[in-house]
Amino acid sequence: MLLNNDPSMIASVERKEDIVDDLESEIAVYLAEMAQQNITKSQGLQLAGYFHAINDIERIGDHAQNIAQLCEEKIEDNYPFSKAAVQEVDQMYHKTRAINAKAINAFQEKDLTLAREVMVDDNEIDRMEKRLRDNHIARVNVGDCFPPSGVIYLDILANLERIGDHSTNLAQTVLGEN
């Protein structure tokens, strides 16, 4: 949406977020029913991990929806983004998308190696967010940034960083840390 100034994607994001919310609710009910059965301690821990995982996946959907709404606001209000800001958001988006895909794969496959890689990648995303915020402040200081655009830019970065955090939580579930 941001790169193409195309608000038509908002409906798709909203639809997918509604589906994720519904699935999270249905899965939570199922997991609660399973937890009431005669299960082992190990199975109980596994169910707890699944509860955490579905919550994290739902929160990722919320952050994706937030980003779509921020992009829609930017487009509707015709807020300019500098070329550097667009490139930075694109860079962080791709890094966040990659960590999320890796976390989902680690969770599905119970792949400890991939889960550990996610932990390292999340540290990179945290550093990237700080660096991009610093870049933004430098642009503001020299007048290269329209202040309302800057607010949206920073909110997009924060939502991407949070997606990275929730992806890390999925990896921690695989590693037995959550």
Side-chain angles (χ1 to χ4, degrees):
M1 285 178 67
L2 179 69
L3 297 178
N4 300 323
N5 281 324
D6 181 8
S8 68
M9 293 177 69
I10 188 80
S12 174
V13 173
E14 300 275 346
R15 214 172 28 259
K16 289 176 183 177
E17 165 53 13
D18 287 343
I19 291 168
V20 170
D21 286 348
D22 291 345
L23 287 172
E24 188 242 359
S25 178
E26 290 176 28
I27 293 168
V29 167
Y30 176 77
L31 292 175
E33 289 171 355
M34 294 297 297
Q36 293 175 352
Q37 303 301 312
N38 188 17
I39 60 174
T40 67
K41 183 177 180 178
S42 173
Q43 290 168 328
L45 291 172
Q46 190 174 22
L47 286 177
Y50 290 154
F51 272 113
H52 288 292
I54 62 170
N55 181 263
D56 285 308
I57 292 168
E58 191 278 330
R59 293 296 298 139
I60 289 168
D62 290 344
H63 290 294
Q65 183 177 33
N66 292 346
I67 292 168
Q69 290 169 342
L70 289 162
C71 290
E72 182 179 43
E73 179 183 346
K74 179 236 182 252
I75 294 164
E76 286 179 356
D77 293 338
N78 202 28
Y79 290 153
F81 267 41
S82 68
K83 185 176 179 179
V86 171
Q87 288 173 340
E88 289 171 350
V89 167
D90 188 50
Q91 177 188 18
M92 188 157 175
Y93 164 78
H94 285 292
K95 184 69 175 171
T96 303
R97 188 171 175 147
I99 190 179
N100 183 253
K102 193 180 287 187
I104 298 275
N105 193 15
F107 184 78
Q108 288 175 327
E109 303 298 323
K110 298 188 182 353
D111 187 321
L112 299 177
T113 301
L114 271 183
R116 287 184 198 98
E117 288 176 19
V118 169
M119 307 301 284
V120 172
D121 291 347
D122 183 54
N123 291 332
E124 290 178 34
I125 286 177
D126 293 344
R127 286 189 300 273
M128 180 183 285
E129 183 198 20
K130 181 179 181 344
R131 180 174 44 82
L132 298 184
R133 283 179 177 277
D134 290 346
N135 291 352
H136 170 69
I137 291 167
R139 285 191 297 272
V140 167
N141 288 340
V142 297
D144 285 347
C145 181
F146 181 59
S149 300
V151 171
I152 291 173
Y153 171 84
L154 292 174
D155 284 349
I156 290 172
L157 292 184
N159 278 277
L160 288 169
E161 190 276 332
R162 292 296 295 143
I163 289 171
D165 290 345
H166 288 292
S167 298
T168 299
N169 291 348
L170 282 174
Q172 288 174 329
T173 298
V174 174
L175 296 170
E177 298 173 8
N178 199 358

